[in-house]
Amino acid sequence: MIQTSRLFNARLHELLRAIYPREDSRALADAIITAFWPEGTQRRRRARAPSNGLWSERDAVLITYGDTIRDGQHKPLDLLQDFLVNHLDGVVNCVHILPFFPFSSDDGFAVTDYRAVNSQLGDWADIERIAARFHLMSDLVLNHVSSQGAWFNAYRQGQAPYDRFFFEGDPADDLSMVVRPRTTPLLQKIETRTGDRHVWCTFSHDQVDLNFANPEVLVEMLRIIRLHIDKGVRILRLDAVAFLWKEPGTPCIHLPQTHAIVQLLRLLCDHAVETVVLLTETNVPRTENLSYFGNRNEAHAVYNFPLPPLILHALQSGSARYLHRWQSAMPPAQLGCAYLNFTASHDGVGMRPAEGVLPAEEKDRMIQTVQAAGGRVSMRALPDGHEEPYELNCALFDALRRTFEGEDGHHIDRFLCSQTIVMSLEGIPAFYIHSLLATRNDHEAVERRGMNRAINRHRWHYPELLELLRDPASDQSKVMRGMSERLRLRSRQPAFHPNATQFTLTLDERLFGVWRQSLDRNQSIFAIHNVSNQPVAVSPSTINLIEDDTWTDILSGDRIALAGPEIVFAPYQCRWITNRA
């Protein structure tokens, strides 16, 4: 057995007593250590200390499905590898491959086998090949598994240990407070060998919730995590983690045991020889989301969920008022923690994070504008039986085709502005592949598959995509080229380190700006973005440029003189004004 330090043991036992007070913490600790560090693996004697060294300004993430690019001949993971190496080398250095396991529904999030790669994508060798060139992020779908997988079939047959793997509810329980992102019934009645049971389904009836009150479920998940680490995964995305622990009569979200389980995972990862980063996926309002940093003892990184609706609103309305107000109140990430910034993902633009930030009338105008652009709206059920918008389903490229005033000739510039804001902010920037490729709404997929989210999950035919990328006049070429140039430039700026100092600038509300300063204080960047379709002029003196430095906008090459003329921003123009060009 691996020798463990006194501090590690004490903390592990403390967490286990909090999560499983009725279990033998010593026996459970041994099972956890053996699961995470099986024979032949090594453990750090001391925990990896919190620091700013887990990431740098060179980090940028691509989010993609394993089969977003297909040609009907080659394995999709081989095509993804080709696209990454030949088109994104030096642009991104991390790739998040959305669930690449066998599944039954929800495009991979109803997993049937955590230990296998979906044969329609490739195999573990293909995953390891990508992990050898790029930091690899994978989904740890903790909350639920497929109703068609081996675990649930064994549960229905009453086979140990799976007969205790799933959370059972009682229709007589008070479930009125349960927070859910869906409108389908929470409990599903199913037949088992021992009689009828009602299983808990937070998301869909094909996604049955696991019972983490049974410690064997946690131990089994740790074995799976170890396998993924051994295959090259270095960032674990904890999918839907907020719903992990259930107690009828409560909201069943963000419960103390859920946070304690995340802390336990962090403890194990901080003692792993491999550098493993935990990222929590919690599409909830700001305070709830930030709680997953804990006291530097939970997630290393959290999704910055308010950004997508706020950036979309700013560019549709032509005003950064609400984006500025929100960003001004955002705390810097703690030491050893970082935000993951994004504008689009495989899901829609979540509206819950905009609660308390955007007024109802502004959200209504966003919804109307997205619908006018061909988008859809998905709803969630409220405890009182009513429904409200949960997310906007639309390809971001199409969502930004229009403003509140309608379509205009600034579409490409407006879209690039949205992506440049993400590049400029404190945190690690992440880009959905369909944003990089200027993908349009896929209405045919929505009709064929009967789900709103399919609108933003287009599958590209690789030869067609390559032809478009070679055509300098295509939207795909313009967006890919513009984003790639800015990301390569960004990677050379120390002031864009994910933890570099940030201050939100007070400017004309048509401008959104932040001041970034490198950790060594040698470089400053004033990143300013015109979110409107109007020219805006700014006096150099209003942004506090230091007189003795030479200032250059590294996006345009313009020299900025403190005593010079006003700095003019064309519609949707972005400037990175720095003293270290």
Side-chain angles (χ1 to χ4, degrees), residues 374-399:
R376 308 240 178 155
V377 181
S378 294
M379 310 297 286
R380 75 180 183 101
L382 299 176
D384 63 5
H386 290 86
E387 297 181 0
E388 72 173 10
Y390 176 69
E391 67 182 18
L392 308 180
N393 302 111
C394 190
L396 186 65
F397 187 68
D398 268 353

Side-chain angles (χ1 to χ4, degrees), residues 68-345:
T68 294
I69 299 171
R70 300 187 291 191
D71 68 359
Q73 300 180 27
H74 301 89
K75 291 184 291 186
L77 288 176
D78 276 348
L79 298 180
L80 176 59
Q81 166 86 358
D82 181 84
F83 179 69
L84 288 167
V85 170
N86 292 310
H87 296 273
L88 294 181
D89 186 36
V91 176
V92 301
N93 65 348
C94 173
V95 58
H96 171 201
I97 307 178
L98 289 152
F100 48 77
F101 318 106
F103 68 97
S104 56
S105 66
D106 198 20
D107 284 343
F109 286 93
V111 179
T112 59
D113 186 354
Y114 291 97
R115 290 184 166 84
V117 173
N118 183 353
S119 60
Q120 295 183 15
L121 301 179
D123 52 34
W124 278 118
D126 301 309
I127 293 293
E128 291 179 279
R129 191 176 304 116
I130 292 173
R133 293 284 299 267
F134 297 85
H135 301 310
L136 178 62
M137 183 193 306
S138 74
D139 287 278
L140 188 63
V141 187
L142 284 169
N143 182 69
H144 49 262
V145 299
S146 169
S147 67
Q148 301 176 48
W151 288 10
F152 194 66
N153 287 333
Y155 162 80
R156 298 183 70 167
Q157 295 300 316
Q159 299 173 12
Y162 304 105
D163 56 339
R164 297 175 55 244
F165 261 42
F166 294 90
F167 195 86
E168 297 176 354
D170 186 333
D173 289 337
D174 178 11
L175 305 177
S176 61
M177 295 176 63
V178 176
V179 173
R180 299 188 59 224
R182 300 291 186 272
T183 58
T184 53
L186 175 62
L187 299 182
Q188 177 185 186
K189 183 179 179 179
I190 55 106
E191 295 180 0
T192 75
R193 177 169 290 182
T194 57
D196 290 345
R197 295 288 186 272
H198 290 85
V199 292
W200 195 283
C201 301
T202 298
F203 290 89
S204 78
H205 284 182
D206 189 38
Q207 295 164 294
V208 187
D209 287 30
L210 291 164
N211 179 21
F212 276 86
N214 172 11
E216 291 186 58
V217 173
L218 175 61
V219 172
E220 184 63 16
M221 278 295 176
L222 293 177
R223 295 189 187 104
I224 290 165
I225 291 174
R226 168 47 58 187
L227 170 66
H228 292 184
I229 292 172
D230 289 345
K231 296 296 186 181
V233 172
R234 291 296 177 265
I235 305 172
L236 292 169
R237 178 183 182 270
L238 306 184
D239 177 68
V241 67
F243 303 97
L244 211 61
W245 199 273
K246 286 86 174 168
E247 287 184 2
T250 76
C252 297
I253 187 172
H254 314 312
L255 295 185
Q257 295 91 336
T258 293
H259 282 282
I261 289 174
V262 178
Q263 290 173 31
L264 187 149
L265 295 176
R266 174 68 179 264
L267 177 69
L268 298 177
C269 289
D270 282 351
H271 280 83
V273 172
E274 305 86 357
T275 302
V276 181
V277 170
L278 293 179
L279 169 67
T280 50
E281 186 262 340
T282 51
N283 191 356
V284 292
R286 183 184 69 179
T287 302
E288 299 170 49
N289 188 35
L290 295 183
S291 72
Y292 285 87
F293 278 143
N295 186 22
R296 301 191 308 178
N297 60 353
E298 293 191 33
H300 296 90
V302 301
Y303 279 86
N304 211 342
F305 274 109
L307 271 181
L310 290 175
I311 289 177
L312 179 60
H313 175 270
L315 287 157
Q316 287 181 337
S317 68
S319 169
R321 178 189 309 171
Y322 298 105
L323 176 62
H324 175 272
R325 181 182 300 171
W326 167 80
Q327 184 61 68
S328 298
M330 277 292 286
Q334 304 171 66
L335 180 68
C337 300
Y339 296 110
L340 188 80
N341 297 324
F342 70 112
T343 55
S345 72

Side-chain angles (χ1 to χ4, degrees), residues 365-379:
R365 295 187 73 184
M366 282 180 64
I367 291 171
Q368 293 165 10
T369 303
V370 166
Q371 289 176 323
R376 308 240 178 155
V377 181
S378 294
M379 310 297 286

Side-chain angles (χ1 to χ4, degrees), residues 18 41 98 103 146 225 292 385 398 454 463-464 491 514 546 566-567 578:
T41 56
L98 289 152
F103 68 97
S146 169
I225 291 174
Y292 285 87
D398 268 353
E464 175 190 353
S491 71
V514 292
I546 298 173
E566 290 189 316
I567 307 168
T578 182

